[in-house]
Amino acid sequence: MKIGDKVIMNNRYHVSEANIGKIWTVKSEPFYGDGVCNVTLEGYGKYAVEGLDIVYTESMEGGKALIGVKPKYVHDRERFADLGEAIIRYAQAGRYINLEWVMEYNQLAKSIKHRRKNNE
């Protein structure tokens, strides 16, 4: 990991809802502190390297932007929130709630709970 790399916080550490899926820019070379290798993230501060995944680096594709897909756990959390909000809106409007939404919501809730349990 080097200065200028674009990174995303992975699920090795707790990531606040506000930072899920957010892309950060590395502002320092790696350094050791608190027993782990860290870098400084622009707009955040010190963060452990093992808690970050690189999504773009200047050396990739000759410097052209190369950003892959969101990690599945990020997609699942966002989809879970979207489904929950849609279900609430439809219920408040007195509208029929699509059974597929409810089934997917419950499946994602189970998956997210399992992932959190295994990462703690």
Side-chain angles (χ1 to χ4, degrees):
M1 195 164 293
K2 63 186 186 329
I3 295 172
D5 285 351
K6 304 294 183 190
V7 296
I8 188 171
M9 294 174 178
N10 61 39
N11 61 351
R12 289 195 183 114
Y13 297 100
H14 172 76
V15 179
S16 70
E17 293 296 321
N19 292 333
I20 293 173
K22 184 172 181 178
I23 297 175
W24 302 90
T25 302
V26 175
K27 286 303 197 186
S28 74
E29 292 296 333
F31 60 92
Y32 285 89
D34 301 322
V36 296
C37 185
N38 301 285
V39 291
T40 301
L41 302 178
E42 182 177 353
Y44 187 85
K46 179 175 77 169
Y47 204 85
V49 169
E50 70 181 357
L52 300 169
D53 293 328
I54 296 176
V55 293
Y56 170 73
T57 181
E58 290 296 326
S59 62
M60 293 179 178
E61 299 294 318
K64 295 179 182 172
L66 177 66
I67 297 178
V69 297
K70 291 179 188 176
K72 184 169 181 356
Y73 72 93
V74 173
H75 170 271
D76 287 355
R77 287 181 185 176
E78 290 175 353
R79 179 71 176 170
F80 179 73
D82 290 345
L83 284 166
E85 291 168 5
I87 290 168
I88 289 169
R89 281 193 310 270
Y90 271 60
Q92 288 175 340
R95 300 209 37 211
Y96 169 79
I97 299 170
N98 187 325
L99 182 58
E100 290 177 13
W101 292 358
V102 176
M103 291 172 60
E104 183 180 356
Y105 180 87
N106 289 337
Q107 182 180 17
L108 286 170
K110 184 178 179 180
S111 173
I112 290 167
K113 181 179 179 182
H114 177 74
R115 192 175 301 119
R116 284 183 180 156
K117 180 180 177 185
N118 289 337
N119 287 333
E120 292 179 351

